[in-house]
Amino acid sequence: MYNVTLIPGDGIGPSVIDVAVKVLEATGIKFKWDKQLAGMAAVYEHDTPIPDAVLESIRKNKLVLKGPLTTPVGGGYRSVNVALRQEFQLYANLRPAVTFEGTISPFKNVDITLIRENTEGLYAGIEHDIVVDNEKIAAESIALITRKGSERICRFAFEHAKSHKRKKVTAVHKANIMKCTAGMFLEIAKEVAKDYPDVEFEDKIIDACAMQLVMSPQNYDVIVTTNLFGDILSDLTAGLIGGLGLTAGANIGKDVALFEAVHGSAPDIAGQNKANPIAVIKAGVMLLQHVGEFKAAKAIDKAIHEMVAEGKYVTPDINPKTKCGTREMGSELISRVKKAVAK
Ligand code: NAD
């Protein structure tokens, strides 16, 4: 029995999380879900986007399956996702992008694991307004990069490459311009690479990397990069394999691991039974792998890939002509997973 904190999230979150929970339970593995509100849903219910109860639950269970959380643009409360990553020091964000047969993506044979530093850099949101005579005349954002943070993420990337038999790690940066911050990240990546002579190492400047990822994604294997670059590039790699509806991420710290889709709360399709649940189900697959339930993880993953390749039980983001919705896709997958584990 696994005790897991379950955060349904905002927008399309509750509908895709509901499917993911049923698919995970279809493997026969027992879970005790501790359902907690966060984000906009918690603001409505408890007047705060991060109630203490959600933090206590995560501290206790150490495993989290999370739906997307809305972050107001511009004003309003700060990102709950960023706050959770910092509170639990979930320093490594692992976002695999592996080709699905049957999507509209023209890219084939993509198999990239993007590893993003998750707690530092520009994305950490250390910023303030500069106000003179009651007028905001400027704003300043601080990209704090530490030696410790850079070393632990680079080491995580090489350890991941080694344990998953990957051939190459590419460190992505902008060290030609941001010589202090990105420069230190690159210097540390080079130092860490020396400890892993069996893993090939290269570095790329972020802009060139973005172009090459679109021209020849097959040249990339494991990518390690800083927070904001990783955020942007992981949406790009999601696009290479058919979109955000298919891509999941793991946020790993020393004690806690949190699994989620790469996508957001998708307000444009919320409540329409159109959301693709695969990304969150794939997050569940990563959770199973994390706790060592490899057989169940493989059964779900295989069923997902077969179903997408067939193209019938898929949501409109994969096949615009389909009449299949979130719930129908979920029901079909649940029955396929049940059959697979019964064999
Ligand atoms: P988004 O990922 O929610 O949506 C981008 C586009 O992708 C939309 O057209 C949406 O319809 C589509 N899409 C996303 N998920 C899909 C799915 N499962 N199936 C089919 N189509 C899907 O990004 P956004 O619109 O920029 O952000 C909306 C909100 O989500 C914002 O408040 C943002 O801060 C938040 N967000 C949260 C997370 C998270 O919780 N980890 C991540 C990204 C964005």
Side-chain angles (χ1 to χ4, degrees):
M1 163 86 82
Y2 295 100
N3 295 319
V4 182
T5 299
L6 184 72
I7 303 174
D10 299 315
I12 61 171
S15 62
V16 289
I17 280 280
D18 181 55
V19 173
V21 163
K22 289 177 182 153
V23 171
L24 288 174
E25 289 178 344
T27 62
I29 293 171
K30 298 278 177 262
F31 298 91
K32 189 169 172 207
W33 304 106
D34 183 6
K35 200 166 162 183
Q36 296 289 338
L37 294 183
M40 203 60 95
V43 171
Y44 291 136
E45 198 74 22
H46 304 296
D47 215 19
T48 166
I50 319 184
D52 287 344
V54 73
L55 300 177
E56 278 161 30
S57 171
I58 296 173
R59 250 174 236 125
K60 191 166 73 139
N61 296 323
K62 300 186 173 26
L63 273 180
V64 187
L65 182 62
K66 188 183 81 58
L69 300 172
T70 297
T71 307
V73 175
Y77 59 82
R78 288 191 170 276
S79 165
V80 176
N81 297 312
V82 173
L84 291 177
R85 290 166 193 165
Q86 287 174 350
E87 173 71 22
F88 295 103
Q89 280 298 295
L90 306 173
Y91 66 90
N93 188 341
L94 205 75
R95 294 184 163 183
V98 182
T99 292
F100 277 82
E101 295 302 324
T103 69
I104 51 169
S105 168
F107 302 97
K108 302 291 168 223
N109 304 321
V110 175
D111 185 357
I112 298 169
T113 298
L114 191 140
I115 296 175
R116 157 188 176 190
E117 203 294 323
N118 220 10
T119 59
E120 302 191 335
L122 266 183
Y123 200 94
I126 311 170
E127 56 173 18
H128 58 262
D129 294 332
I130 298 172
V131 179
V132 175
D133 294 335
N134 286 327
E135 190 194 349
K136 177 173 168 178
I137 56 155
E140 189 174 33
S141 208
I142 296 168
L144 182 70
I145 303 276
T146 66
R147 177 163 284 279
K148 185 180 159 211
S150 301
E151 187 176 343
R152 73 180 170 180
I153 195 65
C154 290
R155 208 162 279 289
F156 182 96
F158 277 96
E159 283 296 325
H160 180 88
K162 201 172 135 188
S163 60
H164 289 75
K165 301 194 174 22
R166 312 289 299 219
K167 292 194 167 49
K168 184 169 73 173
V169 171
T170 306
V172 176
H173 58 85
K174 190 73 185 173
N176 51 330
I177 302 298
M178 292 141 73
K179 292 179 191 295
C180 297
T181 49
M184 185 173 75
F185 178 79
L186 175 59
E187 179 197 314
I188 291 167
K190 285 180 179 171
E191 275 169 25
V192 172
K194 288 184 191 145
D195 293 339
Y196 299 85
D198 296 337
V199 181
E200 191 189 330
F201 173 72
E202 65 175 8
D203 73 276
K204 293 273 183 221
I205 294 174
I206 174 77
D207 37 341
C209 173
M211 179 202 64
Q212 288 168 6
L213 272 170
V214 177
M215 304 273 295
S216 43
Q218 299 80 6
N219 288 348
Y220 286 88
D221 189 349
V222 174
I223 292 175
V224 64
T225 189
T226 46
N227 208 342
L228 182 61
F229 294 161
D231 179 56
I232 297 166
L233 283 188
S234 59
D235 269 32
L236 191 160
T237 53
L240 295 176
I241 62 154
L244 285 170
L246 298 170
T247 321
N251 299 269
I252 311 283
K254 196 162 82 52
D255 303 314
V256 172
L258 180 153
F259 302 85
E260 62 181 345
V262 169
H263 64 70
S265 53
D268 53 335
I269 56 166
Q272 298 173 32
N273 195 33
K274 279 187 187 164
N276 187 340
I278 288 182
V280 168
I281 300 169
K282 278 260 188 187
V285 169
M286 293 179 89
L287 185 153
L288 289 175
Q289 288 165 339
H290 181 76
V291 298
E293 297 282 1
F294 297 109
K295 202 171 151 221
K298 207 169 167 188
I300 299 177
D301 213 36
K302 188 163 174 283
I304 289 175
H305 279 265
E306 284 171 1
M307 210 170 84
V308 172
E310 287 165 22
K312 188 174 172 199
Y313 294 99
V314 290
T315 39
D317 56 308
I318 299 181
N319 176 2
K321 292 190 190 131
T322 184
K323 297 256 182 307
C324 177
T326 313
R327 289 186 290 275
E328 296 73 23
M329 196 173 179
S331 303
E332 176 64 20
L333 188 59
I334 290 160
S335 76
R336 288 179 185 225
V337 170
K338 279 187 180 159
K339 272 189 210 143
V341 294
K343 269 187 195 160

